[in-house]
Amino acid sequence: MGEQAVRDAAVRAGEAAVELAVASRAAKDAALSAMADALVSRRAEIIAANETDVRGARAAGTGAAMLDRLSLDADRIDGMAAGLRQVAGLPDPVGEVVRGSTLPNGLELRQVRVPFGVVGIIYEGRPNVTADAAGLTLKSGNAVLLRGSSSARHSNAAIVAVLRDALTSVGLPADAIGLLPGESRDEVTHLMHARGLVDVLIPRGGAELIRHVVEGSTVPVIETGVGNCHIYVDASADVAMARDIVLNAKTQRPSVCNAAETLLVHAAAADAVLPVLLPALDAAGVTVHGDETVAAQGKALDIAVTPATEEDWGGEYLSLDLAVAVVPSLGAALAHIRRWSTGHSEAIVTGSQAAARTFTARVDAAAVLVNASTRFTDGSEFGFGAEIGISTQKLHARGPMGLPELTSTKYVVTGDGHVRG
Amino acid sequence: MGEQAVRDAAVRAGEAAVELAVASRAAKDAALSAMADALVSRRAEIIAANETDVRGARAAGTGAAMLDRLSLDADRIDGMAAGLRQVAGLPDPVGEVVRGSTLPNGLELRQVRVPFGVVGIIYEGRPNVTADAAGLTLKSGNAVLLRGSSSARHSNAAIVAVLRDALTSVGLPADAIGLLPGESRDEVTHLMHARGLVDVLIPRGGAELIRHVVEGSTVPVIETGVGNCHIYVDASADVAMARDIVLNAKTQRPSVCNAAETLLVHAAAADAVLPVLLPALDAAGVTVHGDETVAAQGKALDIAVTPATEEDWGGEYLSLDLAVAVVPSLGAALAHIRRWSTGHSEAIVTGSQAAARTFTARVDAAAVLVNASTRFTDGSEFGFGAEIGISTQKLHARGPMGLPELTSTKYVVTGDGHVRG
């Protein structure tokens, strides 16, 4: 799709957004139900389209993990439908009065949540994101322009056709859900430059995609997150608690952004913690990349420790690998985190109220956790009901983003002939 | 200042920001008082530096209005000091718990306001902005990198030297207030590209500066506002109220972004409204740029009306000019506003509750006003106590920005050994 076609699609989305902004919650929830029903009743055509994508990906030599993420079956489609029904059950953020007062001159001031307008979402080869993103943007009153991976383009086209029909069936504009076909990478560039037509862009995917969008877009971007998450085990930590939290944060789901990547251990606790943690990590299949102190402990315990380099402190493994360092103090842990954190989730395990207070005050990240696994940084765990991503930027939204984070606000000011003196 | 020097300045600001983020309100307010005292006690050196700038500007043929904005005297410096003392009296946004709950699993979740870190502010030739911006960023716990106009560089250097000394005198890091010297335009470019070192950029000034920063920056930007503000006079409007609001919005201070630039009159009200408004505008020295209906009315009233072109609907006069059109319906007014609005402030004058409800629901702008002048869109009028600018973007902040808009948030999550199942 060329630049003019992308801009035309954005204009159509903008026209739909005008209607969606004033749609009632009842109308939007009816649409979400109709969308869910349609996904289930038209599973066969979605699965047929998906088979074309999967065949193509297999022919292109795509690996098993990617193929799995790309593949749809009846259960996965039912899961997408269930997700839409869940979003229908969430409160509507639009119209919420964020603050309000009557000014001394009698003017009534209300700051009210309103949709952004047109939200662009750029994502990779998981077709279920198509329905999830469409549901969340619809509920928050936004039109969406979806740009999925070209590897999933038949699946995405089938899903969006079903969703658009469902919108029409309840009287909402089909263009509230638009899809760029995924024919070329230029589509992403055109979307990034559709300033004034697209209100906000949300890239979801790997670090490279996100950096590309963040650095090149003239449309405002919400950056979703790479997570180089640390766990600092303080001098006063309970050793068993530290073990359980580290194991959970590292191994429960190593491929996600809120998994732990680095463990920092206070020197005063190292002799108690490492002889418990290193064997536990080893038993869980985790490769430890350690500094010299850790390597020495590993040698004494007969556990292999890979020497850590700068890349280990700075990288995001997303695998059963963990960088481990011993630090002389809480201050040194804070300095290490400041140096290497991506600002996603940072945890302390401690028995000390003073250490917890210092850590939560001084660590600059979307989520700072005390005596809890980094895996809890998640919209669903936080009780938001749904999540469009986890923001690691500081502007607008930081941390898990639910429906309110998909809105802006406006001030409504009501007088009876007020003029300024 | 070259790229490396700008980056070094940003690094120093970042180090100061770490301390400032945990400074108490008492410490910050003491600093603001010390800054105010120092401005007053060292007026002479600031005025001497300013004279150098004014001499240079005069030699360069700068116009009277610009020279006035550049010039400082004892009263203006006292005004800057008073502004700092006023900021000291405002509540500290840092630490405010925006939302909080205890999750079903017992985790305590708190979303807490925190400073951005390093805020870059790019502005034009008004040296009083230097003190205002430094005060607001300091109170909100941020370090600031200021980049003023080269025409004011001696004034800015003198003011910043005074403010930094005041910070040192109360034990806060001087690098919390940094100044790029204003030697070259490249400094702006380097600041725009200091991603990871600068957390947010706020350009304040003309449309060209703002567009340059918004389109070229890899650092997140808060766009402050051009205002092509409309007043729509509905069929049901009270004519005297319409006259008073239009005159106030147009003439009370025509050079500012919340002044009205276009008047739309419902056709059913035109015969009642225009014979009152056109003479009143004429008497106030306003040049009307009208459509054919307005021109015909002007002719009948013997009042000169300039024919309006597309430029009149799209531009921001910032002068005693007003574009005026007659529209057949509220819907046509909404369409006109949607086409030409810059999303700043839009007003309706109406006696109809239904029209007011439709207008406030359907107009997409930072502020939508009913029976009130657009001039009220202002941080001070809204009771925010101070204003860093008026955002016309939808991300993060929209409308007048006070201290809370200079902050981000983080989630603090407290457990007692919680792991995810």
Side-chain angles (χ1 to χ4, degrees):
Chain A
M1 194 179 251
E3 179 162 21
Q4 193 55 50
V6 171
R7 295 181 68 86
D8 289 347
V11 168
R12 287 194 301 273
E15 285 161 2
V18 171
E19 294 313 310
L20 218 57
V22 293
S24 67
R25 173 175 177 176
K28 293 185 288 190
D29 289 352
L32 289 162
S33 283
M35 286 157 65
D37 291 346
L39 285 176
V40 172
S41 68
R42 291 169 65 179
R43 276 189 305 223
E45 70 189 84
I46 295 169
I47 288 172
N50 184 250
E51 282 168 356
T52 306
D53 287 332
V54 171
R55 245 189 335 266
R58 195 173 281 130
T62 302
M66 289 273 277
L67 278 178
D68 179 60
R69 292 166 69 191
L70 178 61
S71 300
L72 294 177
D73 57 21
D75 278 356
R76 287 189 175 178
I77 292 172
D78 290 352
M80 288 155 60
L84 293 173
R85 289 188 215 284
Q86 192 197 344
V87 171
L90 295 175
D92 188 343
V94 175
E96 186 196 344
V97 178
V98 176
R99 68 179 148 182
S101 61
T102 300
L103 302 178
N105 60 7
L107 275 179
E108 292 172 15
L109 180 71
R110 305 281 180 268
Q111 186 182 20
V112 182
R113 281 201 189 284
V114 295
F116 279 125
V118 178
V119 176
I121 300 186
I122 302 171
Y123 54 106
E124 294 178 333
R126 288 173 58 193
N128 62 313
V129 172
T130 307
D132 290 354
L136 291 168
T137 47
L138 183 84
K139 180 77 185 216
S140 52
N142 294 290
V144 70
L145 269 184
L146 299 160
R147 205 288 184 180
S149 164
S150 63
S151 66
R153 67 184 181 280
H154 298 95
S155 314
N156 290 338
I159 293 165
V160 167
V162 168
L163 299 181
R164 286 170 62 100
D165 287 351
L167 287 179
T168 305
S169 76
V170 299
L172 286 180
D175 285 326
I177 301 175
L179 177 72
L180 304 186
E183 290 162 0
S184 75
R185 286 213 68 172
D186 289 348
E187 287 167 13
V188 175
T189 307
H190 301 324
L191 199 54
M192 285 160 51
H193 293 160
R195 187 173 177 84
L197 300 176
V198 176
D199 293 289
V200 56
L201 268 187
I202 305 176
R204 288 183 53 168
E208 189 50 46
L209 167 69
I210 291 166
R211 197 178 55 201
H212 175 69
V213 174
V214 160
E215 296 193 349
S217 181
T218 59
V219 173
V221 173
I222 299 179
E223 183 177 355
T224 61
V226 170
N228 182 19
C229 304
H230 298 75
I231 296 177
Y232 165 63
V233 177
D234 189 38
S236 61
D238 178 90
V239 174
M241 185 191 288
R243 180 198 59 210
D244 294 347
I245 286 175
V246 171
L247 280 177
N248 182 260
K250 179 70 260 182
T251 68
Q252 197 240 0
R253 201 167 164 207
S255 65
V256 292
C257 58
N258 60 15
E261 305 290 5
T262 299
L263 168 65
L264 303 172
V265 180
H266 192 291
D271 286 343
V273 167
L274 291 177
V276 173
L277 257 169
L278 293 182
L281 288 164
D282 190 56
V286 175
T287 302
V288 167
H289 305 251
D291 66 9
E292 285 178 17
T293 312
V294 175
Q297 278 276 8
K299 196 165 182 187
L301 297 161
D302 201 22
I303 289 168
V305 170
T306 308
T309 66
E310 290 243 318
E311 279 174 27
D312 289 293
W313 310 128
E316 192 189 19
Y317 296 116
L318 301 173
S319 61
L320 285 175
D321 292 80
L322 184 68
V324 184
V326 173
V327 291
S329 64
L330 169 57
L334 291 169
H336 182 106
I337 291 169
R338 194 152 57 236
R339 170 78 183 83
W340 297 110
S341 172
T342 54
H344 192 295
S345 298
E346 310 295 355
I348 183 174
V349 184
T350 186
S352 156
Q353 171 61 19
R357 185 175 151 94
T358 300
F359 192 85
T360 55
R362 289 195 166 256
V363 169
D364 187 25
V368 184
L369 304 105
V370 178
N371 295 339
S373 169
T374 54
R375 290 278 294 118
F376 284 108
T377 304
D378 176 274
S380 161
E381 292 292 328
F382 278 11
F384 299 169
E387 175 189 293
I388 191 82
I390 296 177
S391 165
T392 52
Q393 71 180 28
K394 296 184 189 174
L395 214 59
H396 183 75
R398 197 179 194 199
M401 292 187 288
L403 290 170
E405 283 73 25
L406 284 172
T407 64
S408 182
T409 59
K410 71 180 170 196
Y411 287 100
V412 176
V413 185
T414 310
D416 53 7
H418 285 67
V419 296
R420 191 161 161 188
Chain B
M1 193 180 253
E3 178 161 20
Q4 193 55 50
V6 171
R7 295 181 67 87
D8 290 347
V11 167
R12 286 194 302 275
E15 286 161 1
V18 170
E19 295 313 309
L20 218 57
V22 293
S24 67
R25 171 173 179 180
K28 293 185 287 191
D29 289 351
L32 288 162
S33 283
M35 287 157 64
D37 291 346
L39 285 176
V40 172
S41 69
R42 292 169 66 180
R43 279 191 301 223
E45 69 188 86
I46 295 169
I47 289 173
N50 183 250
E51 283 169 356
T52 306
D53 287 333
V54 171
R55 248 191 330 268
R58 194 171 283 130
T62 302
M66 289 273 277
L67 277 179
D68 179 60
R69 292 166 69 192
L70 179 61
S71 299
L72 294 177
D73 57 19
D75 277 357
R76 287 190 175 179
I77 293 173
D78 290 353
M80 288 156 59
L84 293 173
R85 289 188 216 284
Q86 192 198 346
V87 171
L90 296 174
D92 187 344
V94 175
E96 185 195 346
V97 177
V98 176
R99 71 179 146 183
S101 63
T102 299
L103 302 177
N105 60 9
L107 275 180
E108 291 171 15
L109 180 70
R110 304 282 179 270
Q111 187 181 20
V112 182
R113 282 202 190 283
V114 295
F116 280 125
V118 178
V119 175
I121 300 186
I122 301 171
Y123 54 106
E124 294 178 337
R126 288 173 57 194
N128 62 312
V129 172
T130 307
D132 290 355
L136 291 168
T137 48
L138 182 84
K139 179 78 183 218
S140 53
N142 295 289
V144 70
L145 268 184
L146 298 160
R147 204 289 184 179
S149 163
S150 64
S151 66
R153 67 185 181 281
H154 298 95
S155 315
N156 290 337
I159 293 165
V160 168
V162 167
L163 300 180
R164 287 170 61 100
D165 286 352
L167 287 179
T168 305
S169 76
V170 298
L172 286 180
D175 285 326
I177 302 175
L179 177 73
L180 304 186
E183 290 162 1
S184 74
R185 286 212 69 169
D186 289 348
E187 286 166 13
V188 175
T189 307
H190 302 323
L191 197 55
M192 284 160 54
H193 294 160
R195 189 173 174 84
L197 299 177
V198 176
D199 293 289
V200 57
L201 269 187
I202 304 175
R204 287 183 54 170
E208 190 48 47
L209 168 70
I210 290 166
R211 196 176 59 201
H212 176 69
V213 174
V214 160
E215 295 192 349
S217 180
T218 59
V219 173
V221 173
I222 300 179
E223 184 177 354
T224 61
V226 170
N228 181 19
C229 305
H230 298 74
I231 297 178
Y232 164 64
V233 176
D234 189 36
S236 61
D238 179 88
V239 174
M241 186 192 288
R243 178 198 59 208
D244 293 348
I245 287 175
V246 170
L247 280 178
N248 182 259
K250 179 69 260 180
T251 67
Q252 197 239 0
R253 200 169 164 205
S255 65
V256 293
C257 59
N258 59 16
E261 306 289 5
T262 299
L263 167 66
L264 303 172
V265 180
H266 192 291
D271 286 342
V273 167
L274 291 177
V276 172
L277 258 169
L278 293 182
L281 288 164
D282 189 55
V286 175
T287 301
V288 167
H289 305 251
D291 66 10
E292 286 177 17
T293 313
V294 175
Q297 277 275 8
K299 197 165 182 187
L301 297 161
D302 200 21
I303 289 170
V305 170
T306 307
T309 66
E310 289 244 319
E311 278 174 29
D312 289 293
W313 310 127
E316 192 190 19
Y317 296 117
L318 301 174
S319 60
L320 284 175
D321 292 82
L322 184 68
V324 184
V326 172
V327 292
S329 64
L330 169 58
L334 291 170
H336 182 106
I337 291 170
R338 195 153 56 237
R339 170 76 182 85
W340 296 110
S341 172
T342 54
H344 192 296
S345 298
E346 309 296 355
I348 183 173
V349 184
T350 186
S352 156
Q353 171 62 17
R357 185 176 152 95
T358 299
F359 192 86
T360 55
R362 289 195 166 257
V363 169
D364 187 23
V368 185
L369 304 104
V370 179
N371 294 339
S373 168
T374 54
R375 290 279 294 119
F376 284 109
T377 304
D378 175 276
S380 161
E381 292 293 327
F382 278 11
F384 299 170
E387 177 189 293
I388 191 83
I390 296 178
S391 165
T392 52
Q393 71 180 29
K394 297 185 188 174
L395 213 59
H396 184 73
R398 196 178 195 201
M401 293 188 287
L403 290 170
E405 284 71 25
L406 283 173
T407 64
S408 181
T409 59
K410 71 181 170 195
Y411 287 101
V412 175
V413 186
T414 309
D416 53 5
H418 284 68
V419 296
R420 190 160 161 189

